[in-house]
Amino acid sequence: MADHFQLRLAESRMLAPAVRHMAFERADGAPFAFVPGQFLQVHFHYADGKPTKRSYSVATIGAGDGGTVARIEIAVSYVDGGAATNLLANLREGETVDASGPYGRFCLMDADANRRYLLVATGTGVTPYRAMLPQLEKLAARGAEVALVYGARNETELLYGEEFEDFARKHPHFQFYACFSRATRAQPRAHDRDGRVHVALQELKPDAAHDIAYLCGNPDMVDQAFALLKEAGLPVPHIRREKYVSSR
Ligand SMILES: Cc1cc2nc3c(=O)[nH]c(=O)nc-3n(C[C@H](O)[C@H](O)[C@H](O)COP(=O)(O)OP(=O)(O)OC[C@H]3O[C@@H](n4cnc5c(N)ncnc54)[C@H](O)[C@@H]3O)c2cc1C
């Protein structure tokens, strides 16, 4: 159930030139309960006093199904002239924001019994999958495979790339495809792909009988990947979507 609370910024770092990783703690010291894949909302006011809110997926690794974490990590991609961007880009460690959550059902369901998980993201849309890593690790026990197909313009915008590469090295059932739409890596790696996520997704030959897909991030990418997967025969309930639309 969603709760309202204040979040204090404990730590932050830049993940990319315009993406800030922010680690918050609840100001009341309580732990935060969420299911990986869920998001929270940050509440604030426009300059004219009108209340508004924005959504951010929780990136924290550590919560099991319905478990709790001490820190709420998010990755905020700066939007030119954005109201929440202005608030969050200028927030200093120790300062607080109003928030509520968790929300959303973009989660790996207990009932998921599929053999392959196609996880697709662009930009900060990769954060729910970071939170899901402990659950994804467990899928190996029942022989399931996971392919994370992640689109970025270039290597500086590949968020948490080394963490996913490291996870892939340790877990053979997990493959990480980095898809670069503008510039390839200075030193390309085996699973790098040129172009948008659809290139790697097609190469993976989506299979209606065994696959479930999760799509997160840019709404255009989500729509195009949805069309591709539907065309491949995946039933709509097996194509889970989270679009990062501006929520004003
Ligand atoms: C469920 C959900 C989860 C989300 N999770 C994240 C997350 O983890 N990280 C994250 O950074 N964002 C996330 N978003 C998007 C986030 O909620 C805000 O929309 C985003 O941060 C922009 O807010 P803003 O107030 O800075 O810009 P706004 O003041 O809302 O917008 C300013 C201007 O920029 C345009 N604009 C808004 N968003 C974009 C964009 N993405 N690209 C280009 N132009 C844009 C608007 O149309 C407007 O013209 C999520 C959205 C949803 C619905």
Side-chain angles (χ1 to χ4, degrees):
M1 226 193 28
D3 198 4
H4 280 253
F5 42 82
Q6 284 221 309
L7 287 180
R8 179 171 292 118
L9 183 61
E11 243 182 287
S12 77
R13 66 192 154 96
M14 294 308 288
L15 293 173
V19 184
R20 188 181 192 193
H21 175 93
M22 305 179 81
F24 293 94
E25 288 165 359
R26 280 178 60 139
D28 61 8
F32 180 68
F34 80 109
V35 182
Q38 289 189 303
F39 63 92
L40 58 78
Q41 291 188 322
V42 172
H43 300 255
F44 60 101
H45 294 83
Y46 289 119
D48 64 5
K50 203 175 139 214
T52 188
K53 61 193 177 191
R54 297 290 186 277
S55 304
Y56 295 93
S57 299
V58 179
T60 312
I61 304 172
D65 301 309
T68 60
V69 290
R71 286 199 167 180
I72 301 177
E73 297 171 29
I74 59 173
V76 178
S77 179
Y78 297 167
V79 167
D80 275 348
T85 297
N86 185 40
L87 171 75
L88 294 171
N90 294 306
L91 197 74
R92 286 176 298 197
E93 287 175 15
E95 292 184 333
T96 57
V97 288
D98 289 327
S100 65
Y103 302 103
R105 289 185 292 172
F106 187 72
C107 304
L108 299 172
M109 299 302 182
D110 288 343
D112 283 355
N114 305 281
R115 273 206 231 137
R116 189 172 63 162
Y117 290 72
L118 301 174
L119 311 180
V120 186
T122 50
T124 48
V126 81
T127 50
Y129 308 137
R130 182 178 188 258
M132 287 174 191
L133 286 175
Q135 292 175 305
L136 297 173
E137 185 173 352
K138 287 189 200 149
L139 292 176
R142 64 169 175 82
E145 292 184 359
V146 183
L148 173 54
V149 176
Y150 182 26
R153 288 187 293 197
N154 54 51
E155 68 181 304
T156 61
E157 295 185 4
L158 196 74
L159 313 179
Y160 307 110
E162 291 309 324
E163 291 184 23
F164 290 119
E165 303 266 6
D166 188 48
F167 189 83
R169 268 191 296 274
K170 292 179 181 147
H171 302 94
H173 74 296
F174 178 92
Q175 287 182 328
F176 177 59
Y177 295 89
C179 307
F180 297 106
S181 61
R182 299 240 177 118
T184 52
R185 258 195 254 251
Q187 296 192 317
R189 302 185 189 182
H191 286 88
D192 284 3
R193 295 294 180 269
D194 266 0
R196 297 182 188 274
V197 292
H198 315 96
V199 174
L201 204 48
Q202 247 152 352
E203 180 192 324
L204 285 164
K205 297 190 175 32
D207 169 5
H210 303 118
D211 291 348
I212 186 162
Y214 286 73
L215 315 174
C216 188
N218 177 288
D220 290 339
M221 178 284 287
V222 171
D223 287 344
Q224 287 166 25
F226 176 77
L228 187 155
L229 292 163
K230 206 159 157 258
E231 179 75 15
L234 261 73
V236 171
H238 279 195
I239 315 175
R240 316 281 310 277
R241 289 169 283 172
E242 187 86 290
K243 289 187 188 183
Y244 281 4
V245 288
S246 192
S247 50
R248 276 180 289 172

